[in-house]
Amino acid sequence: MEWESDDKELKAAGAEPLPDGRRGLLIHGWEIECRKLFILNSVHLQRWEKELQTTHLPEMVFGDNCLVLKHVNSGTKFFFNAFDALVGWKHEALPPVEVPAAAKWKFRSKPLQQVVLDYDYTFTTPYCGSETVERNVECGSAIPEEGSSCIQWEDCKEKIDLVALASKEPILFYDEIILYEDELADNGISLLTVKVRVMPSGWFLLLRFWLRVDGVLMRLRDTRLHCLFGEHNESSILRESCWRETTFQALSSVSLTSPLFLFLHAQRHTCL
């Protein structure tokens, strides 16, 4: 179900929908756009395999899906897409997660086929998003023009105020985008999504990689960005990343009310 914006709230916040049927908002100098299309077909999958130099990709790759947040005046641009995330997966090259012998049978496409899990079939990625400072680049392009530069982040003691984000502020725009998904041959789930929420005071997004390998482990990698709107279309942005992982064996030794269990359960089901 698509988010329906309230025209009165948009006007009061100085926001307006993007033109030409594009899905998103223009607010305080930020152009925020979501694109959601279909999974890649076989031709595009082969092209991606060639570019990534791999014969393995997730079952469902939404290669044309993306979230783009661009500060029009400065050219600062954050964008989130499946290709860059899979580049991160390929470069990190984690060892394959060991699964029980019975589970390996489910990875076979033919009864007598030998299963060699010699790559990270969970598609775990260190991806925190893509970013650049550019000029005259159309929304959604993952390749910066010559002369573009990277964003320079600085360490700080400030933290994203999640309590303030939970306040009852009007939500001007919300969307969730799936970048890729794999059910691990019915042995769990590997899922990369990005969610964005826009309020009168700023925007907030959550990029989440969630992995469950049944009977083996759970893995969570979150990146949050929070932008607070300032005067004269200036903004300040905080970014936080959090990686967590635990085994089913470790979970079996704790109670259902332990901090570890409650944290993992909350992280899997919490909405942006």
Side-chain angles (χ1 to χ4, degrees), residues 226-260:
H226 183 210
C227 171
L228 282 173
F229 299 142
E231 295 181 355
H232 309 296
N233 286 342
E234 295 182 354
S235 303
S236 61
I237 302 172
L238 293 175
R239 182 175 70 176
E240 296 178 357
S241 293
C242 176
W243 293 11
R244 297 185 185 268
E245 181 174 321
T246 190
T247 64
F248 273 65
Q249 184 177 4
L251 282 178
S252 68
S253 63
V254 300
S255 71
L256 298 182
T257 58
S258 71
L260 175 61

Side-chain angles (χ1 to χ4, degrees), residues 85-263:
L86 289 170
V87 169
W89 159 75
K90 189 73 165 43
H91 287 172
E92 188 174 24
L94 292 177
V97 176
E98 291 294 329
V99 296
K104 289 188 177 182
W105 283 91
K106 294 186 178 181
F107 282 91
R108 301 185 180 189
S109 59
K110 298 179 181 180
L112 300 178
Q113 184 182 47
Q114 183 181 5
V115 177
V116 180
L117 300 178
D118 58 353
Y119 68 100
D120 177 22
Y121 64 87
T122 69
F123 301 101
T124 298
T125 177
Y127 185 60
C128 294
S130 308
E131 57 195 42
T132 188
V133 179
E134 55 191 19
R135 305 183 192 90
N136 301 323
V137 177
E138 290 185 4
C139 173
S141 173
I143 304 175
E145 280 189 341
E146 185 178 352
S148 299
S149 60
C150 295
I151 295 172
Q152 299 298 318
W153 292 94
E154 297 180 357
D155 292 334
C156 65
K157 295 182 179 180
E158 292 181 76
K159 294 183 178 180
I160 295 175
D161 191 342
L162 297 178
V163 175
L165 284 170
S167 63
K168 293 184 178 180
E169 188 177 12
I171 298 177
L172 306 176
F173 180 76
Y174 170 84
D175 211 345
E176 177 178 8
I177 300 170
I178 299 175
L179 299 180
Y180 63 74
E181 181 176 358
D182 196 298
E183 294 183 350
L184 310 181
D186 295 327
N187 284 287
I189 185 72
S190 171
L191 179 65
L192 181 66
T193 63
V194 60
K195 302 178 185 179
V196 63
R197 187 176 77 189
V198 184
M199 301 79 65
S201 64
W203 54 258
F204 176 61
L205 70 82
L206 169 62
L207 175 72
R208 168 166 290 175
F209 173 80
W210 165 251
L211 171 70
R212 187 192 76 247
V213 182
D214 292 339
V216 184
L217 65 79
M218 289 188 286
R219 180 179 291 157
L220 181 75
R221 294 185 173 185
D222 279 354
T223 297
R224 291 176 169 85
L225 271 73
H226 183 210
C227 171
L228 282 173
F229 299 142
E231 295 181 355
H232 309 296
N233 286 342
E234 295 182 354
S235 303
S236 61
I237 302 172
L238 293 175
R239 182 175 70 176
E240 296 178 357
S241 293
C242 176
W243 293 11
R244 297 185 185 268
E245 181 174 321
T246 190
T247 64
F248 273 65
Q249 184 177 4
L251 282 178
S252 68
S253 63
V254 300
S255 71
L256 298 182
T257 58
S258 71
L260 175 61
F261 180 87
L262 292 175
F263 172 80

